[in-house]
Amino acid sequence: MSLFALTIAELREKLRTGEVSAREVTQALLNRIQAVDGKLNAYLWLNPDDALAQAERVDAKSDKLLAGIPIAVKDVLNVDGQPCTCASKILKGYTSVYDAQVITRLKQEGAIILGRTNMDEFAMGSSTENSSWGVTRNPWDLERIPGGSSGGSAACVAGDEAIASLGSDTGGSIRQPAAVTGCVGLKPTYGRVSRYGLVAFASSLDQIGPFTKTVADAATMLRVIAGHDDRDSTSVPRPVPQYSIAGGVKGLRLGLPKEYFIPGMDREVEAAVRAAIRQLGSLGAEIVEISLPHTEYAVAVYYLIATAEASANLARFDGVRYGARVRGEDVIDTYGKTRGAGFGPEVKRRIILGTYALSAGYYDAYYLRAQKVRTLIRQDFEKAFQKCDAIVTPTTAEPAFKIGEKSADPLKMYLCDIFTISCNLAGNCGISVPCGFAGKLPVGLQILGKAFDEETILRVAQAYEQSTDWHKQRPVL
Amino acid sequence: MPDVDINHVAHLARIELTDAEKVKFSAQLKDMLAYVDQLSRVDVTGVEPTAHAIPLTNVLRKDEIRPSIATERILKNAPESARDLFIVPKIVE
């Protein structure tokens, strides 16, 4: 099998024993990117010489967890000396001056930072169509979206253009693209991974997590990036477990929330997910009916809280310290012109909604009320987790849609995240794993866990993955 | 449903909008406000708001000198700079 098609675990074995070198692996990936990225447009930036130089420097025979493994990163994470545009015109030409904490950790474990992946501008979107640098295409059907906002990070793993990648998940931006491209996507618990060096979108929701080809690889990536960092006060000083994924599901109680099977759901998606849940039952898990009654309000809560936080976070893009500046008559006029020219339509739309929700006279009715309903959503999960160890749901209600299909209607696009958003609002962890196909398009099973209980969802995911071969299916490019 | 003064909101957001954007965004903002209005159905009496999923407290570190990013590297990203400073349009007359 070609080197680019292997997993972290498989490649580490070959690298450790000296069967292949880090340079050969990196070159194999660069060749693969050369061959297929013209079709996918997963990468925004690549520096082959730099990647090969990193490969030369690494001791691939060491015991480091990612020694010699080429990994792609979403264009929202700072890597010293690389551009970081968040797929926005307003950051065109920006060069990072430091490493994000997750990048420091990848480098410490010997990973090769391969390149930067496409995304919805400032991580706002569910299709990667909101990128200022063109859409990314789904490796399973080039007419379709790869999900979003981390669409490039998903497509590059699904298309074998990286062994693994990092993305960020504010309302589903890792799990949803993982589901529709047929890879594994993990959103760790809020506070588990340092966001130092992640360009902030909605600070009470953002988390960084991996895209991988297998559950075992996701556990490896989490071991590398998890942990306290004194430069992110929201990162929690809890020890990082080994994330042992063996053990199976026998004796585990898996909650099936009735609110996650909605009218209008794609029938093949529903059938695949229900079959996966039956499979988990036959592996020894006890399936219990649960209710998350405030689920229907999650999208509304999310779009008030996330946009309000974004309106504050994105105030820093004002053409003073970085990015493109459009000069106006005075400083206020300069801000307005710079931001009017630099931000794309979805970013403007969300900043406007968020600004409105926070503005005098409307704060109580919108933002504060949303925060209260957020409490009710959290409490739904607390109650549910008294009855079960993890929750199983579809990751999305439908498979990848066609490019352009939803871009005219923002609300329709927002509803794509209906099953993934609550997890961010509650601050829990979640993972999406491949569980079948709707026609030729991948379907994802979402497993949600308690805060800081990644081990259980990884264990469930591993047990499921090992009893199927969905994760071995690859698109033909 | 409250009226939306798009000029006021755009000014607060410091985003200059074109006339076409004003028309489009005010209509879309109204649609979104109509959608989120469903939250008014929820009984939130006595419910505390959640700002963060985990309790946050101030984290203080020792007040000591540490190495920082070199000024010239940071200023390289600035649209305009001089003498180790960011240059902005005149703010006060």
Side-chain angles (χ1 to χ4, degrees), chain A residues 30-332:
Chain A
L30 291 169
N31 293 348
R32 173 70 175 174
I33 294 166
Q34 179 85 36
V36 303
D37 204 54
K39 292 182 194 168
L40 298 182
N41 192 34
Y43 280 93
L44 290 180
W45 183 89
L46 204 62
N47 184 341
D49 292 341
D50 178 59
L52 290 169
Q54 292 178 57
E56 293 291 349
R57 282 198 302 271
V58 74
D59 175 10
K61 291 183 183 172
S62 77
D63 282 332
K64 290 181 175 176
L65 291 169
L66 299 173
I69 304 294
I71 288 172
V73 300
K74 187 177 180 180
D75 195 32
V76 71
L77 288 162
N78 282 280
V79 181
D80 199 354
Q82 292 188 2
C84 181
T85 73
C86 300
S88 179
K89 279 189 288 184
I90 209 162
L91 279 173
K92 190 167 188 234
Y94 180 80
T95 303
S96 295
V97 293
Y98 67 98
D99 281 332
Q101 171 65 4
V102 291
I103 300 300
T104 301
R105 290 291 301 126
L106 289 186
K107 287 180 174 175
Q108 283 169 350
E109 292 297 336
I112 289 151
I113 313 295
L114 195 52
R116 310 186 61 79
T117 59
N118 201 10
M119 55 186 280
D120 286 297
E121 185 179 1
F122 285 108
M124 297 178 185
S126 308
S127 67
T128 314
E129 292 168 292
N130 296 331
S131 168
S132 303
W133 320 123
V135 299
T136 293
R137 292 169 184 276
N138 191 314
W140 294 90
D141 179 345
L142 299 176
E143 299 300 306
R144 290 173 190 270
I145 57 101
S149 65
S150 315
S153 286
C156 75
V157 171
D160 286 328
E161 294 184 284
I163 304 304
S165 66
L166 287 180
S168 61
D169 189 316
T170 304
S173 285
I174 292 173
R175 289 158 289 153
Q176 182 256 16
V180 302
T181 59
C183 47
V184 176
L186 171 69
K187 185 205 91 79
T189 306
Y190 188 78
R192 183 69 287 185
V193 177
S194 166
R195 285 103 47 93
Y196 177 75
L198 168 76
V199 179
F201 159 19
S203 303
S204 81
L205 304 164
D206 298 339
Q207 261 297 288
I208 300 166
F211 290 89
T212 55
K213 299 173 187 176
T214 63
V215 175
D217 282 4
T220 302
M221 290 287 284
L222 183 61
R223 270 177 74 188
V224 173
I225 62 173
H228 178 62
D229 172 17
D230 61 14
R231 295 169 304 181
D232 175 2
S233 63
T234 65
S235 78
V236 175
R238 274 173 90 110
V240 177
Q242 285 298 303
Y243 297 116
S244 52
I245 55 175
V249 291
K250 207 160 270 174
L252 284 182
R253 295 164 306 165
L254 300 180
L256 188 60
K258 59 172 189 260
E259 293 83 3
Y260 279 61
F261 292 88
I262 52 170
M265 236 182 121
D266 181 274
R267 281 168 59 193
E268 286 178 278
V269 168
E270 180 170 356
V273 171
R274 288 200 185 274
I277 293 165
R278 277 198 301 279
Q279 175 91 352
L280 283 164
S282 72
L283 292 169
E286 184 194 342
I287 310 293
V288 294
E289 293 268 338
I290 57 161
S291 175
L292 297 164
H294 295 89
T295 299
E296 63 177 301
Y297 302 111
V299 172
V301 169
Y302 176 84
Y303 278 93
L304 287 168
I305 289 177
T307 58
E309 292 183 12
S311 74
N313 273 327
L314 272 64
R316 62 172 62 92
F317 302 102
D318 56 7
V320 171
R321 287 148 299 168
Y322 31 69
R325 174 188 292 179
V326 181
R327 238 181 201 289
E329 286 166 23
D330 53 26
V331 74
I332 300 288

Side-chain angles (χ1 to χ4, degrees), chain A residues 80 94-95 97 190 204 296 319-322 325 327 334 336-337 339-340 348-349 356 369 371-372 374-375, chain B residues 2 9 13-14 16 21 28 33 38-39 42 47-53 73 77-80 86-87 89:
Chain A
D80 199 354
Y94 180 80
T95 303
V97 293
Y190 188 78
S204 81
E296 63 177 301
V320 171
R321 287 148 299 168
Y322 31 69
R325 174 188 292 179
R327 238 181 201 289
T334 300
K337 285 194 159 60
R339 291 158 64 80
K348 288 180 189 170
R349 191 152 42 230
Y356 183 86
R369 178 165 278 268
Q371 287 189 315
K372 289 180 178 173
R374 182 178 182 180
T375 303
Chain B
V9 185
R14 303 288 187 263
E16 191 175 287
E21 282 177 326
Q28 289 174 334
L33 292 174
Q38 61 178 291
L39 297 184
V42 187
V47 178
E48 290 292 318
T50 295
H52 271 90
R73 291 199 70 199
N77 279 312
E80 216 182 324
F86 297 108
I87 302 297

Side-chain angles (χ1 to χ4, degrees), chain A residues 259-453:
Chain A
E259 293 83 3
Y260 279 61
F261 292 88
I262 52 170
M265 236 182 121
D266 181 274
R267 281 168 59 193
E268 286 178 278
V269 168
E270 180 170 356
V273 171
R274 288 200 185 274
I277 293 165
R278 277 198 301 279
Q279 175 91 352
L280 283 164
S282 72
L283 292 169
E286 184 194 342
I287 310 293
V288 294
E289 293 268 338
I290 57 161
S291 175
L292 297 164
H294 295 89
T295 299
E296 63 177 301
Y297 302 111
V299 172
V301 169
Y302 176 84
Y303 278 93
L304 287 168
I305 289 177
T307 58
E309 292 183 12
S311 74
N313 273 327
L314 272 64
R316 62 172 62 92
F317 302 102
D318 56 7
V320 171
R321 287 148 299 168
Y322 31 69
R325 174 188 292 179
V326 181
R327 238 181 201 289
E329 286 166 23
D330 53 26
V331 74
I332 300 288
D333 196 37
T334 300
Y335 294 155
K337 285 194 159 60
T338 296
R339 291 158 64 80
F343 290 138
E346 182 60 25
V347 174
K348 288 180 189 170
R349 191 152 42 230
R350 294 205 197 185
I351 292 176
I352 297 240
L353 175 59
T355 303
Y356 183 86
L358 289 178
S359 64
Y362 301 112
Y363 178 91
D364 285 359
Y366 291 110
Y367 185 64
L368 187 63
R369 178 165 278 268
Q371 287 189 315
K372 289 180 178 173
V373 183
R374 182 178 182 180
T375 303
L376 298 174
I377 290 169
R378 276 189 63 193
Q379 290 171 348
D380 282 356
F381 279 98
E382 282 166 18
K383 282 178 206 151
F385 282 128
Q386 289 171 2
K387 287 194 201 158
C388 62
D389 303 296
I391 295 169
V392 283
T393 82
T395 310
T396 61
E398 54 180 20
F401 50 88
K402 288 223 162 108
I403 291 167
E405 195 179 317
K406 293 182 199 276
S407 34
D409 185 350
L411 203 51
K412 223 171 173 182
M413 189 73 89
Y414 297 170
L415 291 168
C416 292
D417 302 330
I418 189 160
F419 296 149
T420 48
I421 273 177
S422 299
C423 171
N424 300 73
L425 291 170
N428 298 332
C429 58
I431 191 169
S432 180
V433 291
C435 74
F437 288 85
K440 58 175 181 170
L441 301 169
V443 177
L445 170 72
Q446 179 175 237
I447 306 158
L448 300 173
K450 297 171 199 166
F452 299 101
D453 192 19

